[in-house]
Amino acid sequence: MIVRQVCMRQSRQLLALNRPRVFSRFLSTDEGRFTSIPEIRSASEPEQYSRDASKQKFRSLGSAVKEPYEPEDILRNPPTPGDITLELLLASQTHLGHSTSRWNPQNSSYIFGIREGVHIISLDVTATHLRRAAKVVEEVAARGGLILFVGTRKGQKRIVVRAAELASGYHLFERWIPGSLTNAQQILGHCEMKVVNALDEVLPQFSNGKNSTAGAGGAAEEEEGAERPALKPDLVVCLNPLENVVLLHECALNNIPTVGIIDTDADTTKVTYPIPANDDSLRSVGVIAGILGQAGYAGQLRRLREAEHGRLTYSPTFSAKET
Amino acid sequence: MAFSRPNCIVHTMQSIRRAGQQSSFVSASPIPTQLLQRQQRHLLSTTSRESASEVQAAPEIDFAQFLQTPARIIPASPAYFSGSPKFIDYLLDLERIQAKYAPLPLVAANKAPRMAWFKLPQFRDFVGEQVPVKKYRGLIKILQRLNRIKPNVAPEEVRQTLSRFLRPGNPYGNKPAPATVDEMGRGRGYGKRKASSAVVHLVEGDGDVLVNGKSLAEVFPRLHDRESATWPLRCTQRLDKYNVWAIVRGGGVTGQAEAITLALARALLVHEPALKPALRKAGVITVDARRVERKKPGHVKARKMPTWVKR
């Protein structure tokens, strides 16, 4: 059931200039809010050059702008899976598909209709698939899986980095090196790894000289630690599957499930969990990636809370015998 | 007697109370608690109490052991799957700092302190990854932008971050001491052109010029050579203010004249360093590095080829 916003916009009292920011997204299904979300902190600049200092002088002048749109909000405070509403998806332009001549007929069940020669994606289908994908991301994170967020288009760098930061996952915004999974030892073998306990704290005694950040004393340089096998992600979230065909193919060969934003011209069979949505608009990509990042954050929080009570939510993938 | 095992604590307690009232044998409850044990002791007979005390509460969780056990092995950097995680980490860190200190005032690019950033092979060695040229240039651009922050408001974080990318030592710190006029009032300059090299001593005077002990007209019969030799003084209107003593060896006439030009300009800069922009515009500061090109096999001269014959 979708409950619409009530009275917030019309209230005159709220037009006061110094009112606190009100979340305009109303929950349709309250999945619970998560505390202490890591936000991007404001700049700590010298007093005389502070933006707020100059704003204070002129705050009383001019018109009162109610609910200004700030593009940075998608990164600063991304929506959570509980915030998924059709209004949000519509405002983020996720319903806009491509020209009708460019469509992939396999996607016909995702399409609502045609407007001005462009396919319109059905938003309830988008919402359903997005919620499912968010659940998948949350559960993989809760079980200690490695989640890789991929977005190689221009402008997707900050979106992908922020989503990975929230979900304690990994990001990729430059070209995917072909063979990173099928020839992993060659391409990623030199990259560093770390052995962690249930609370994600590094255990320096298990680090060997070759692949680790924490050196185990001076002996690390001399002993030839065997190179550990390169790691592979447990879930890949791809924001532009049309440009990452090789990546998705490698994931399929290695039995790695993938989540992807499928536009009306994309191939829906290439990903495990398609999200039919607009992949060209940065706003739509930002909202979707933000939701998945928040889902990952919830999963990590759950996993760490279980670990604090001495329970491991997954079977250990590393034993003390491997050194 | 058949006994159905109760699942929840309430049922267990009820059955024990019942057993206690009937003073009959009780099967070991699957979930004994302290309360339950107290109840058992209170209600049951001696024989039942002995069997109940065999079941103990679970031992406390040994968190020290739990936290020392390795659970999984994960990448050290969030950019692991890019293939160059360290470079990406540095890049993102610099971009974060740039965004954080964006409002701070800047100085012009040529006024910013001169920094010796890592050269590409040095940076590749520093990072341990094969970083492409273009991407490294992008990184340098961010460093240069951060370097432009006005030095008196530049935060410590920025300065420390920039220092990580500097070449060791201070290449721009060891500048040679600027040349000065000696105790006899002479300024000295060296110049070369083609095969000639010249040294010129310049001293305040009336405008006498001596080259290898002879007058200018004797050494350079050609007007063009005389004019080019004294061009640094003539373009700054100081021909009557300085005396020139030049010694020049090697090469031909024009080469020697041009060598004197360069040497004279350098000697003049010793007396008046502020003339540098004017002399640069006049074209007497830049060294002419052209040399005679060698003859090559199959050619008549350096470039000239023998006449092409069809057969």
Side-chain angles (χ1 to χ4, degrees):
Chain A
M1 187 181 80
I2 299 164
V3 178
R4 292 196 182 278
Q5 238 174 307
V6 176
C7 291
M8 289 297 208
R9 288 201 194 103
Q10 276 71 43
S11 170
R12 283 204 185 183
Q13 288 158 356
L14 287 173
L15 288 178
L17 288 161
N18 291 338
R19 67 173 172 82
R21 301 221 77 237
V22 181
F23 287 118
S24 55
R25 293 184 290 268
F26 209 77
L27 306 178
S28 58
T29 50
D30 201 327
E31 306 239 332
R33 290 232 163 220
F34 309 110
T35 54
S36 63
I37 292 161
E39 284 195 22
I40 300 167
R41 272 170 261 114
S42 56
S44 56
E45 55 226 9
E47 199 49 56
Q48 54 185 132
Y49 300 115
S50 156
R51 279 197 190 105
D52 293 329
S54 52
K55 264 191 198 164
Q56 286 285 64
K57 279 194 250 174
F58 305 108
R59 203 178 268 273
S60 55
L61 305 174
S63 54
V65 181
K66 39 181 180 171
E67 290 179 31
Y69 169 69
E70 284 187 39
E72 287 286 313
D73 264 351
I74 289 180
L75 296 175
R76 252 187 247 130
N77 198 18
T80 61
D83 292 332
I84 296 172
T85 58
L86 301 195
E87 288 88 349
L88 171 68
L89 295 176
L90 191 79
S92 323
Q93 305 136 14
T94 50
H95 62 292
L96 298 170
H98 281 275
S99 163
T100 51
S101 56
R102 297 176 70 104
W103 78 319
N104 186 334
Q106 286 176 320
N107 299 340
S108 56
S109 57
Y110 304 147
I111 292 167
F112 180 73
I114 303 171
R115 189 188 170 106
E116 293 187 17
V118 158
H119 274 128
I120 303 296
I121 299 168
S122 191
L123 281 180
D124 45 1
V125 175
T126 305
T128 316
H129 284 79
L130 186 53
R131 283 194 192 105
R132 178 174 75 149
K135 198 65 189 167
V136 166
V137 170
E138 184 183 335
E139 289 303 315
V140 170
R143 282 160 180 69
L146 306 180
I147 306 174
L148 171 64
F149 290 86
V150 176
T152 49
R153 282 199 194 175
K154 186 163 171 267
Q156 288 182 352
K157 173 161 83 175
R158 293 181 71 200
I159 294 167
V160 151
V161 169
R162 178 67 174 142
E165 183 193 357
L166 277 172
S168 306
Y170 306 89
H171 53 245
L172 177 69
F173 47 84
E174 302 275 351
R175 177 183 154 262
W176 166 263
I177 300 170
S180 299
L181 295 179
T182 50
N183 193 14
Q185 210 49 45
Q186 175 77 25
I187 291 170
L188 304 179
H190 68 276
C191 302
E192 280 174 4
M193 296 180 256
K194 55 187 180 185
V195 179
V196 296
N197 65 3
L199 285 174
D200 283 356
E201 292 157 355
V202 179
L203 297 173
Q205 64 265 34
F206 295 103
S207 59
N208 66 348
K210 271 205 145 182
N211 287 100
S212 51
T213 44
E221 291 150 32
E222 284 169 34
E223 73 178 68
E224 282 248 341
E227 227 181 67
R228 293 192 176 123
L231 296 168
K232 296 182 184 178
D234 296 305
L235 180 71
V236 170
V237 176
C238 185
L239 303 180
N240 54 336
L242 270 178
E243 276 106 21
N244 287 305
V245 179
V246 180
L247 160 66
L248 296 172
H249 182 70
E250 282 190 49
C251 289
L253 290 173
N254 284 275
N255 217 28
I256 297 168
T258 48
V259 174
I261 300 180
I262 299 297
D263 210 339
T264 51
D265 61 345
D267 189 353
T268 196
T269 58
K270 292 274 183 280
V271 297
T272 319
Y273 301 102
I275 303 170
N278 183 8
D279 63 356
D280 296 301
S281 162
L282 282 180
R283 208 181 292 187
S284 101
V285 165
V287 161
I288 290 171
I291 287 169
L292 297 178
Q294 290 280 34
Y297 177 75
Q300 297 287 352
L301 209 62
R302 185 161 32 113
R303 177 175 66 81
L304 291 171
R305 279 188 184 150
E306 287 291 299
E308 273 163 23
H309 291 104
R311 287 186 288 270
L312 206 57
T313 51
Y314 50 92
S315 50
T317 55
F318 182 85
S319 67
K321 282 169 261 166
E322 306 173 43
T323 344
Chain B
M1 193 155 85
F3 224 102
S4 59
R5 264 183 205 275
N7 281 334
C8 59
I9 296 172
V10 173
H11 285 169
T12 316
M13 286 174 67
Q14 281 177 357
S15 65
I16 288 166
R17 266 189 235 111
R18 259 185 263 122
Q21 283 157 16
Q22 293 166 16
S23 297
S24 63
F25 168 78
V26 156
S27 64
S29 146
I31 318 152
T33 60
Q34 257 194 345
L35 175 64
L36 208 57
Q37 283 178 337
R38 251 188 271 125
Q39 286 231 350
Q40 284 173 0
R41 270 186 251 115
H42 175 68
L43 293 167
L44 302 180
S45 62
T46 335
T47 47
S48 308
R49 213 183 296 145
E50 279 167 7
S51 57
S53 63
E54 282 168 10
V55 181
Q56 298 288 327
E60 286 176 11
I61 305 166
D62 184 4
F63 280 108
Q65 183 60 35
F66 178 68
L67 291 177
Q68 286 308 307
T69 325
R72 54 185 186 147
I73 182 164
I74 57 173
S77 157
Y80 177 84
F81 296 102
S82 67
S84 51
K86 287 203 177 117
F87 172 73
I88 298 279
D89 285 346
Y90 281 133
L91 187 72
L92 289 174
D93 192 40
L94 284 174
E95 285 180 353
R96 177 191 62 83
I97 289 173
Q98 185 184 359
K100 185 175 175 186
Y101 297 112
L104 295 180
L106 306 174
V107 298
N110 52 357
K111 300 282 192 309
R114 195 167 179 195
M115 305 288 242
W117 308 119
F118 274 132
K119 294 198 184 289
L120 183 57
Q122 285 174 315
F123 182 72
R124 280 177 175 164
D125 191 53
F126 170 64
V127 148
E129 288 156 11
Q130 201 62 18
V131 177
V133 181
K134 218 172 173 181
K135 290 192 185 159
Y136 183 57
R137 283 206 194 122
L139 188 100
I140 293 288
K141 277 207 161 44
I142 303 176
L143 289 172
Q144 286 166 345
R145 163 65 180 76
L146 285 172
N147 193 35
R148 279 180 63 195
I149 295 174
K150 238 179 186 167
N152 56 335
V153 298
E156 189 55 41
E157 189 185 2
V158 170
R159 265 185 263 123
Q160 272 181 2
T161 312
L162 291 180
S163 65
R164 279 192 286 162
F165 296 92
L166 286 175
R167 289 206 285 269
N170 188 3
Y172 303 121
N174 296 337
K175 287 184 188 136
T180 50
V181 171
D182 68 5
E183 62 276 354
M184 287 200 258
R186 299 176 297 189
R188 187 180 57 209
Y190 294 90
K192 283 193 190 179
R193 175 78 216 274
K194 272 174 144 187
S196 320
S197 57
V199 57
V200 163
H201 288 88
L202 208 62
V203 74
E204 308 233 343
D206 291 321
D208 302 325
V209 179
L210 283 175
V211 179
N212 288 347
K214 301 183 192 136
S215 75
L216 201 59
E218 277 182 70
V219 182
F220 300 120
R222 204 169 144 227
L223 174 68
H224 183 91
D225 295 333
R226 287 200 293 274
E227 281 184 343
S228 61
T230 52
W231 177 234
L233 291 174
R234 284 189 305 112
C235 70
T236 51
Q237 285 115 43
R238 279 153 171 78
L239 198 56
D240 53 342
K241 296 196 178 60
Y242 290 96
N243 283 354
V244 179
W245 172 259
I247 300 171
V248 61
R249 299 271 182 272
V253 180
T254 306
Q256 287 189 345
E258 297 284 334
I260 290 173
T261 308
L262 189 57
L264 218 174
R266 286 179 178 168
L268 186 56
L269 282 178
V270 172
H271 283 272
E272 292 175 74
L275 285 177
K276 192 157 185 185
L279 289 175
R280 188 173 278 282
K281 269 201 180 143
V284 293
I285 302 287
T286 311
V287 176
D288 195 337
R290 293 177 292 173
R291 294 284 182 270
V292 174
E293 197 173 317
R294 67 157 278 194
K295 183 202 177 298
K296 286 130 198 159
H299 298 239
V300 174
K301 292 166 47 166
R303 301 280 175 106
K304 182 179 181 180
M305 298 269 296
T307 315
W308 176 76
V309 181
K310 209 176 200 180
R311 289 176 190 91

